[in-house]
Amino acid sequence: MEQVGVREGFEELYGAAPEGVWAAPGRVNLIGEYTDFNEGFVMPLALPHTAVAAVSRRSDGVLRLHSADIEGPVVELRVDELTPRSDTGWAAYPAGVVWALREAGHAIGGADLHLSSTVPTGAGLSSSAALEVVTALALDELYGLGLTRPELARLAQRAENDFVGVPCGVMDQTASACCTEGHALHLDCRDLSIRQVPFDLAAQGLELLVVDTRVKHALGDGAYAERRAGCEEGARQLGVSHLRDVAYEELDAALARLSDERVRRYVRHVVSDDHRVERVITLLDAGDVRAIGPVLTDGHASLRDDLRISCPELDLAVSAANSAGALGARMTGGGFGGSAVVLVEAADADGVTKAVVEAFAEAGFTAPRVFPAVPSAGARRIG
Ligand code: ADP
Ligand code: MG
C-alpha cells in the first residue's frame, strides 16, 4: 500500500518511474539503556513501521529530495556542495547520507528521492535512523557499492553525527539495517558485533506493546551529556577505559570505591543493565520468553532510581501495565518522555492497553498511543 503510494508520488513529482523502492524500519530497544557509550550491550528490535523511499540515480550532480509527510516543495541540492550542519531541515537526514557516502570515497553522482514513513517521529522510535538507512541502502544498491549492513549503519550514523549534528550512538542505524523478523538484535557496542536472538512473540502467545506517551520533557535536554560525563567519571575513578569493563560480580566492590553518590548510581545502572541484557539473552536462547518480564521491570527501576531519566508518564505506563497483569515493563530510549515497552500475554493485550489509557486519563495526561511491536525485518528492497 505504502509502496504503491510512494512509487506513484515519485512519478508525479519527477515525471518518470523510480528505479526501485526500499523500506527501512524504526526500532524499539528491548533492554540495555545508556550502555552504548559505555561500550556495553543493547538489544533493539525492528518495528513493522517503516520509511519507504522511491529512488533513481542522476548523473548531473543534482540531489532532489521530497517527503510526502512534510508540507513543502522538493529540496534541491548539489552533491558536491553538501555542507555539514547547513540548515536543510528534514532533508539533512538523506542529504547527510549522500555526504557520508561521498566522504567515504563512493562516487554518488546524484539522485531523485521521494519518501513516506509510518514511523512516529520524536517518540524515541528512531524515525531519523529509518530515513537514513533507507537512503543508504537504496544508494548502495543503485550505485553497486557492495557495502555490508553494518557498514551502511556506520555511514548513516556518521550522517546523523557529523552532517545533521546529533550525537547518537550506532544502535538505531544498526537495528534498522540489520534486524531480522522474529528476532531481537544483540549488539556489542565495543566491537560492533551482532547476533540475532530468537524473539518470536506470536509463537509464544505473547505481545510486546509500545506505549508512546507523546510527551518529551525539556528536562531531558542536558541530561544525556550529564549522564555520559558521570559515567566517564565513574570509569576514570575505577581505572577502566569504559564501564563495560566492570564485571557484574565485582559491582559491589567497585561501588564501595566510589565516593560520589551520583556517580555511584550511574555506575550501578550501567553495570547492572549490561547484566540484564545478558540475562535476557540467556532466557530467550532457552525459549523462556515470559521470564524476561521481571528483568524488564527491574531495568525500569534502575532507570528511574539510579540513572533518574524517567518521568511521571513513563512511571505510570509501567505501573499501570504491571498492575493490570503485564509480565513486565520498562521505559525505553533516552527518557524524560518517549515510549515504554510492555510484555503481555496476547490474551491480556487489550485489557492492559485499556488500563494504561484509563490511568493516563485519570492522571490528566495526554492520551498515549499503544501498539504492538512485532519483531520485524530490517531494511530491504520492496519494489
Ligand atoms: P526520532 O528519531 O526519535 O523519531 P529525531 O528527532 O531523531 O526523532 O528525528 C525526527 C526527525 O526526522 C524529524 O524532525 C524530521 O526532520 C525527520 N523525519 C522523520 N520522519 C520523517 C518523514 N516521514 N519525512 C520527513 N522527515 C522525517
Ligand atoms: Mg532519532
Side-chain angles (χ1 to χ4, degrees), residues 295-363:
V295 186
L296 300 182
T297 302
D298 283 352
H300 183 76
S302 180
L303 290 162
R304 182 191 60 210
D305 303 335
D306 276 347
L307 206 59
R308 302 196 182 165
I309 60 163
S310 190
C311 65
E313 292 86 351
L314 288 168
D315 289 342
L316 184 62
V318 168
S319 62
N322 281 339
S323 301
L327 297 162
R330 66 182 279 273
M331 58 149 287
T332 180
F336 306 102
S339 299
V341 286
V342 179
L343 184 70
V344 289
E345 300 288 348
D348 295 339
D350 287 349
V352 170
T353 300
K354 196 161 161 279
V356 171
V357 169
E358 281 175 6
F360 270 57
E362 244 171 65

Side-chain angles (χ1 to χ4, degrees), residues 12 35 63 75 171 174 296 354:
E12 255 174 54
T35 47
L63 179 62
V75 176
M171 165 169 73
T174 304
L296 300 182
K354 196 161 161 279

Side-chain angles (χ1 to χ4, degrees), residues 142-157:
L142 285 173
Y143 280 96
L145 306 180
L147 294 165
T148 65
R149 295 304 176 106
E151 284 169 342
L152 290 175
R154 282 200 290 281
L155 283 163
Q157 181 202 14

Side-chain angles (χ1 to χ4, degrees), residues 27 50-51 66-70 89-94 115-132 160 164 166 168 172:
R27 65 95 189 95
T50 55
H66 188 262
S67 168
D69 310 318
I70 302 267
W90 74 272
Y93 295 92
L115 69 87
S116 176
S117 177
T118 54
V119 185
T121 58
L125 303 174
S126 265
S127 66
S128 60
L131 232 57
E132 292 150 10
E160 185 148 348
V164 183
V166 178
C168 57
D172 303 350

